[in-house]
């Protein structure tokens, strides 16, 4: 068996980090790895001080990278969400429900003191598989 290739993926809607720091998105075989995405922009965060709007923007960027790699929202298997105010976790959940269908992706929500910029409230990273399709849970456990 040959090792999968690793390819750097970019999307026009997602600002790239400076060279030599990290990659926003790597495609390894059919698995897409997305670094933490947020709502930051030179004019301030998209969505202002709204956790719901900042989460929507972060997820929009995650999905743009996934689509650029050849995948879609159905292939998202894992999200990690970093949130500055855990009392606002319902807003994160609401944004996720707008994007994902059952079965929902595995997810970890982590409360943090700060993100890369003081006005950012949420950051999301993801793992997705190209070509994966969601099927309803049958309720069975293994």
């Amino acid at each position: 068996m040959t090792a999968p290739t690793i390819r750097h993926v970019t999307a026009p809607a997602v600002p790239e980090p400076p060279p030599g720091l990290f990659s926003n998105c790597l495609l390894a075989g059919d698995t897409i790895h997305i670094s933490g995405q947020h709502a930051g922009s030179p004019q301030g965060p998209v969505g202002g001080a709204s956790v719901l709007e900042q989460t929507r923007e972060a997820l929009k960027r995650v999905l743009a990278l996934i689509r650029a790699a050849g995948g879609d929202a159905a292939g998202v298997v894992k999200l990690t969400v970093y949130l500055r105010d855990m009392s606002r976790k319902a807003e994160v959940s609401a944004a996720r429900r707008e994007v994902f269908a059952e079965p929902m992706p595995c997810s970890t929500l982590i409360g943090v003191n700060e993100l890369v910029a003081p006005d950012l409230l949420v950051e999301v990273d993801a793992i997705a598989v190209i070509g994966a399709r969601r099927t309803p849970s049958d309720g069975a456990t293994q």
Side-chain angles (χ1 to χ4, degrees):
M1 180 160 80
T2 61
T5 59
I6 297 174
R7 180 172 61 96
H8 178 234
V9 177
T10 62
V14 181
E16 275 295 297
L21 279 182
F22 63 92
S23 297
N24 271 336
C25 180
L26 290 177
L27 176 61
D30 62 355
T31 304
I32 306 164
H33 298 267
I34 309 288
S35 291
Q37 298 299 304
H38 51 71
S41 78
Q43 295 76 36
V46 175
S50 167
V51 169
L52 176 64
E53 292 302 322
Q54 285 197 26
T55 305
R56 284 175 173 156
E57 179 64 21
L59 290 172
K60 177 180 162 186
R61 293 176 186 191
V62 165
L63 292 174
L65 289 163
I66 289 170
R67 288 184 187 110
D72 57 33
V76 176
V77 295
K78 176 73 167 98
L79 295 172
T80 304
V81 180
Y82 305 89
L83 181 61
R84 296 219 11 237
D85 181 354
M86 291 298 275
S87 72
R88 298 174 74 183
K89 63 186 174 188
E91 295 171 72
V92 172
S93 295
R96 284 192 310 218
R97 284 191 301 273
E98 292 174 1
V99 174
F100 301 107
E102 293 290 341
M104 296 295 280
C106 296
S107 186
T108 301
L109 178 62
I110 301 170
V112 297
N113 290 328
E114 58 186 316
L115 294 167
V116 70
D119 51 0
L120 294 175
L121 305 174
V122 65
E123 187 169 319
V124 180
D125 64 40
I127 299 172
V129 178
I130 294 174
R133 293 288 157 241
R134 297 197 177 290
T135 60
S137 173
D138 61 7
T141 58
Q142 306 257 339

